[in-house]
Amino acid sequence: MINFNVPPYVETAMDYIAECVKNQKICGDGAYTKKCNQWIEERTGTSKCLLTTSCTHATEMAALLAEIQPGDEVIMPAYTFVSTADAFVLRGATPVFVDIRPDTMNIDETLIEAAITPKTKAIVPVHYAGVSCEMDTIMDIAQRHHLIVIEDAAQGIMSSYKGKALGTIGDYGCFSFHETKNYSMGEGGALLIKDAANIENAEIIREKGTNRSKFFSGQIDKYTWVNYGSSYLPSYMNAAYLYSQLEIADEINEARLGIFDRYMENLKELEQAGKIELPVIPEGCVANGHMFYFKTKDLEERSRLIDFLKERGVHAVFHYIPLHTAPAGLKYGRFHGEDKYTTKESERLLRLPMYYGLTPEQVDYISEQVKEFYR
Ligand SMILES: *Cc1c(COP(=O)(O)O)cnc(C)c1O
């Protein structure tokens, strides 16, 4: 069976983790956490990166930093992972879902403005498959309406929009290092902070509401409880595992892009024959090979194709059930405008195996099975 996902394995991870264990340094902000933060800061150009226990937690931190209150509204797509909405629901806010663009599966930037009310506090663009949303338009809307922008860049590390790293364009950016993402620490994530004025508060929220971070950097001689917060620090060991991959991030990125391009090339003829639709990467966007998907005719055809591939040893999967149709989405959120594409396009989308280590032969085998189905 060719698995849908296999987390990356880099040999140095064993040495780095062993070093943490032997030195009996395993919790909090240690050497490898700092190395990861620095690496992300240098590569993305963000003012500050704080490694977290997940992207979900990075988004929760952003919601706390944005001072989201009960009754506030937050605009986002419904075609996303639950955490995009949940982080704001936990603060008592209402997710307001708007439709997606069928080409990228990202929020349709032309529908955002009509969904703004006096209660709107933030916009949360989700960069699906590591392909950027139309950020110039989104930032312009946010500026004119004084809204905070929190990028769900869970899938977007190493991707860019008009030369800017995803996660650095909005006020806050959230990365995921879950084992299904391009770089992994098992469970983990990062919060990127654009405005240096928000760093101190973010450090306090991440350290259980204390100014411990200032204490460790020698700015104060004892630390205390100064604000609300929680515990969003990953252990050194997880950071060590992640760092082994960041050191070869370009190699991993190129391998993934190679797989993406090979699928595109192999399946081009099916698109030309009008059988399937291939993904689109708009002008100005550089992607990261996070995912390879294409669209079938409809839900029924997709189900048959998934079964067909399974019988031939290929694990293909579908993706999100739109949040506005889920029990919690119905309870806590609302959809603004017409659901023209969210449900319809999500039902047609199928993802093929994609991971660091998938061989060209495997990609060709998988592509051949897809072609066989359409014969
Ligand atoms: C993976 C993912 C998340 C959640 O990431 P965790 O690190 O598992 O919390 C959130 N949003 C999107 C779009 C994701 O793909």
Side-chain angles (χ1 to χ4, degrees):
M1 192 76 176
I2 302 176
N3 288 323
F4 172 70
N5 175 62
V6 178
Y9 173 68
V10 180
E11 267 174 35
T12 47
M14 289 302 212
D15 302 330
Y16 297 168
I17 294 168
E19 189 185 317
C20 297
V21 176
K22 279 185 206 143
N23 292 341
Q24 293 169 293
K25 291 230 165 22
I26 51 174
C27 72
D29 277 339
Y32 283 106
T33 319
K34 286 186 184 137
K35 280 183 180 191
C36 291
N37 287 338
Q38 257 168 23
W39 189 95
I40 294 168
E41 284 161 13
E42 279 161 23
R43 287 301 289 252
T44 65
T46 183
S47 309
K48 187 76 187 171
C49 170
L50 295 172
L51 220 56
T52 59
T53 32
S54 64
C55 177
T56 304
H57 280 167
T59 315
E60 281 181 31
M61 283 183 67
L64 286 165
L65 285 159
E67 295 177 10
I68 301 294
Q69 303 292 324
D72 288 347
E73 292 179 355
V74 180
I75 296 174
M76 63 183 70
Y79 186 68
T80 182
F81 189 60
V82 295
S83 304
T84 317
D86 225 346
F88 300 94
V89 168
L90 277 176
R91 305 259 67 77
T94 301
V96 175
F97 304 114
V98 305
D99 211 7
I100 54 167
R101 298 164 40 149
D103 60 347
T104 56
M105 303 298 283
N106 284 335
I107 191 165
D108 185 338
E109 68 281 357
T110 66
L111 302 175
I112 292 173
E113 205 148 13
I116 295 173
T117 74
K119 293 179 181 168
T120 308
K121 259 311 247 311
I123 306 172
V124 187
V126 180
H127 305 299
Y128 187 69
V131 176
S132 182
C133 297
E134 184 31 54
M135 291 308 289
D136 277 352
T137 308
I138 293 171
M139 294 311 290
D140 175 61
I141 294 168
Q143 259 145 31
R144 283 189 285 107
H145 294 271
H146 309 289
L147 304 176
I148 293 164
V149 174
I150 298 165
E151 295 177 69
D152 183 334
Q155 305 171 12
I157 186 168
M158 301 291 275
S159 294
S160 63
Y161 170 81
K162 298 188 182 172
K164 291 180 201 154
L166 300 194
T168 67
I169 304 165
D171 300 274
Y172 301 101
C174 307
F175 283 166
S176 174
F177 299 118
H178 184 260
E179 80 162 38
T180 53
K181 301 305 198 293
N182 293 22
Y183 308 95
S184 172
M185 50 196 282
E187 299 278 355
L191 177 69
L192 278 63
I193 301 159
K194 183 157 83 177
D195 185 348
N198 295 322
I199 296 172
E200 186 177 334
N201 211 9
E203 287 177 329
I204 289 168
I205 287 171
R206 181 165 167 270
E207 276 276 20
K208 301 104 186 153
T210 72
N211 52 4
R212 196 167 170 198
S213 167
K214 258 186 155 171
F215 168 73
F216 281 125
S217 61
Q219 294 175 62
I220 47 174
D221 57 13
K222 58 175 182 271
Y223 77 85
T224 184
W225 184 26
V226 290
N227 200 353
Y228 49 74
S230 189
S231 184
Y232 297 119
L233 273 77
S235 95
Y236 288 13
M237 288 181 290
N238 295 58
Y241 179 76
L242 175 65
Y243 190 67
S244 68
Q245 295 156 48
L246 294 183
E247 280 187 315
I248 58 154
D250 291 306
E251 187 184 320
I252 294 176
N253 196 49
E254 275 153 35
R256 297 189 77 109
L257 289 170
I259 295 167
F260 182 91
D261 290 345
R262 201 170 181 100
Y263 273 132
M264 288 293 271
E265 188 58 33
N266 288 348
L267 299 176
K268 206 168 61 185
E269 60 182 71
L270 285 181
E271 181 170 61
Q272 280 158 0
K275 305 275 191 202
I276 64 168
E277 275 172 44
L278 292 173
V280 172
I281 299 173
E283 190 72 33
C285 298
V286 175
N288 60 359
H290 172 62
M291 186 191 301
F292 184 82
Y293 72 79
F294 65 86
K295 290 184 197 157
T296 61
K297 187 166 70 102
D298 54 22
L299 179 61
E300 188 271 335
E301 185 179 283
R302 182 181 73 179
S303 306
R304 280 194 295 118
L305 179 52
I306 289 176
D307 290 344
F308 182 91
L309 291 172
K310 200 168 161 196
E311 282 164 22
R312 283 152 185 82
V314 177
H315 189 205
V317 297
F318 54 85
H319 213 182
Y320 308 126
I321 307 293
L323 298 183
H324 67 300
T325 64
L330 290 165
K331 189 167 159 192
Y332 298 117
R334 67 179 169 82
F335 199 97
H336 180 271
E338 189 197 344
D339 171 6
K340 201 166 160 193
Y341 294 114
T342 302
T343 300
K344 189 169 138 250
E345 297 300 299
S346 69
E347 288 179 345
R348 300 168 57 209
L349 187 140
L350 178 140
R351 298 184 290 157
L352 294 178
M354 165 63 88
Y355 54 86
Y356 176 59
L358 189 69
T359 66
E361 293 73 29
Q362 286 174 313
V363 174
D364 291 348
Y365 172 79
I366 297 163
S367 308
E368 204 40 53
Q369 302 317 306
V370 174
K371 286 189 210 170
E372 183 60 30
F373 174 82
Y374 284 101
R375 271 178 221 132

